[in-house]
Amino acid sequence: MRTSIALFFSLLFSSTALAINTISIPDLSADIGEQGVEVLVNFANDDSIGGYQLDLKFENTVMSLSSVEAVNRSAHGTFASNSPFVDQERIIWFGLEGNALVPILPGDEEVLRFTFNVLSNATPGDYALHLLAVVLSDVNGNEIEAEVQDGVITI
């Protein structure tokens, strides 16, 4: 019985000690023809992040990408984006500032801002905003586990 209780508490405390890293897009709404609609990507991370890569997949028959920028805790560092497909934007970021590696410290806030224009011929409805190919790395380049939560834009 003592062994079972000790094992139970050992498992309980070891599972709560695991770091939780969540990348999410909050749901939002926009009007047909609306310009400058911000889609924010939030990092709620317990681990320091030395770099990340992700793709945002969106419905390009409803909205067009205007810009993307790293904000808040990822405003520093090296940032690049490109469009491997017309309905997808790829982001690569690493915390290199000069000769120093400056990670994204643990916290909970938006780190990316995508700005879209809703097309004037968009059909009203709910459209998924998918995060794909998400990779987080620690300051040593080791992969960090993350939970991903997609968002929805309602037009």
Side-chain angles (χ1 to χ4, degrees):
M1 180 73 167
R2 276 190 187 154
T3 304
S4 297
I5 292 172
L7 180 59
F8 170 76
F9 280 109
S10 173
L11 289 173
L12 176 69
F13 291 117
S14 67
S15 64
T16 58
L18 295 176
I20 299 172
N21 303 294
T22 303
I23 302 171
S24 62
I25 299 176
D27 294 344
L28 69 148
S29 61
D31 296 321
I32 292 174
E34 186 174 344
Q35 305 291 297
V37 177
E38 292 183 352
V39 173
L40 302 172
V41 177
N42 185 69
F43 279 21
N45 55 300
D46 289 344
D47 292 317
S48 290
I49 299 171
Y52 63 84
Q53 175 181 321
L54 59 85
D55 289 7
L56 174 67
K57 185 172 175 62
F58 57 92
E59 183 54 59
N60 69 318
T61 62
V62 175
M63 51 203 277
S64 64
L65 181 64
S66 173
S67 66
V68 61
E69 64 182 315
V71 297
N72 299 324
R73 292 180 295 141
S74 75
H76 69 283
T78 302
F79 171 83
S81 70
N82 71 1
S83 300
F85 305 102
V86 295
D87 63 347
Q88 202 164 314
E89 187 72 8
R90 176 163 297 146
I91 305 301
I92 299 173
W93 178 94
F94 54 96
L96 191 59
E97 196 169 299
N99 290 331
L101 184 59
V102 181
I104 296 173
L105 297 175
D108 185 352
E109 68 183 338
E110 295 84 16
V111 297
L112 284 172
R113 179 185 304 128
F114 292 86
T115 304
F116 287 93
N117 297 322
V118 179
L119 304 178
S120 59
N121 62 347
T123 302
D126 292 336
Y127 298 93
L129 299 165
H130 292 294
L131 290 167
L132 306 171
V134 176
V135 178
L136 300 181
S137 300
D138 66 15
V139 294
N140 296 314
N142 299 311
E143 188 171 352
I144 299 172
E145 298 228 5
E147 178 183 320
V148 175
Q149 298 172 353
D150 294 334
V152 172
I153 184 167
T154 301
I155 307 295

